[in-house]
């Protein structure tokens, strides 16, 4: 078994743990840096009554806390399912360098999850649910932020 398979097995076991505890769907994730596991997470949507508590999100939160940074450059993530748009965005924002996934969105759809619908909505017609409002006021807010001396753009 190579190192990638080893880390994916940890993600699978993390997902199994979440299933056994009835925390949510079969989604586990592991974040690795320099060949060492930094954090593990599994879906806790049901447990926490929070739709953002996907396995990848839980692992990112734990890794950021452990490393005391929001920048996870140099890290890799192993996840049992292809990341949904929310998780994919969080992975990109955290600068994780590689994503290894087990099941694809078709596999996930076959067990009753809607990831594929969200991807299609974002690809085809995001304006069907997005509406610009008070842009002038928000631009002023952006201008105030731009004028700050000590800020972090992230």
């Amino acid at each position: 078994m190579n190192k990638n398979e080893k880390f994916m097995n940890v993600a699978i076991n993390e997902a199994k743990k979440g299933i056994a505890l009835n925390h949510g769907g079969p989604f586990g994730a592991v974040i690795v840096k320099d060949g060492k596991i930094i954090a593990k997470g599994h879906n806790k949507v049901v447990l926490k009554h929070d739709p953002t508590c996907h396995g990848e999100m839980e692992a990112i939160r734990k890794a950021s806390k452990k490393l005391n940074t929001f920048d996870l450059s140099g890290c890799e993530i192993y996840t049992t399912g292809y990341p949904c748009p929310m998780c994919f965005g969080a992975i990109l924002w955290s600068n994780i360098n590689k994503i290894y996934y087990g099941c694809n969105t078709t596999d996930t759809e076959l067990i009753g999850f809607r990831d594929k619908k969200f991807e299609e909505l974002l690809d085809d017609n995001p304006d069907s649910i997005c509406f610009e409002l008070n842009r002038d006021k928000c631009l002023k807010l952006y201008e105030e932020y731009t004028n700050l001396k000590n800020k972090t753009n992230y």
Side-chain angles (χ1 to χ4, degrees):
M1 177 183 321
N2 68 36
K3 71 175 182 82
N4 290 336
E5 291 171 336
K6 179 182 108 178
F7 294 133
M8 183 58 80
N9 282 340
V10 174
I12 290 167
N13 287 333
E14 186 67 20
K16 287 180 178 182
K17 176 181 165 185
I19 293 168
L21 295 169
N22 196 31
H23 288 174
F27 307 106
V30 175
I31 295 177
V32 174
K33 185 170 186 173
D34 300 325
K36 295 180 184 170
I37 294 174
I38 303 299
K40 300 183 278 188
H42 62 263
N43 186 295
K44 292 186 178 178
V45 168
V46 173
L47 174 70
K48 294 184 176 181
H49 307 286
D50 183 341
T52 69
C53 292
H54 292 192
E56 298 96 332
M57 300 296 284
E58 293 291 306
I60 289 169
R61 289 176 183 126
K62 288 178 184 178
S64 294
K65 186 173 184 177
K66 184 173 182 176
L67 297 176
N68 197 33
T69 182
F70 52 79
D71 185 356
L72 300 180
S73 294
C75 291
E76 301 172 336
I77 190 165
Y78 296 78
T79 179
T80 56
Y82 188 85
C84 74
M86 173 185 68
C87 293
F88 205 96
I91 290 165
L92 294 175
W93 275 109
S94 66
N95 293 321
I96 290 174
N97 297 84
K98 285 186 183 174
I99 303 168
Y100 297 94
Y101 65 93
C103 295
N104 59 45
T105 54
T106 300
D107 300 325
T108 305
E109 182 179 44
L110 291 172
I111 63 166
F113 289 86
R114 303 176 289 159
D115 300 43
K116 206 171 208 177
K117 288 182 183 179
F118 296 134
E119 288 175 356
E120 289 168 359
L121 174 67
L122 291 172
D123 286 342
D124 295 338
N125 193 11
D127 290 336
S128 68
I129 61 167
C130 296
F131 307 94
E132 190 175 280
L133 179 66
N134 288 348
R135 182 169 181 258
D136 290 341
K137 289 181 181 179
C138 293
L139 283 172
K140 286 180 185 175
L141 173 69
Y142 279 21
E143 183 180 346
E144 289 174 27
Y145 181 79
T146 301
N147 292 331
L148 289 176
K149 298 223 186 285
N150 296 319
K151 66 178 176 278
T152 301
N153 285 343
Y154 209 79

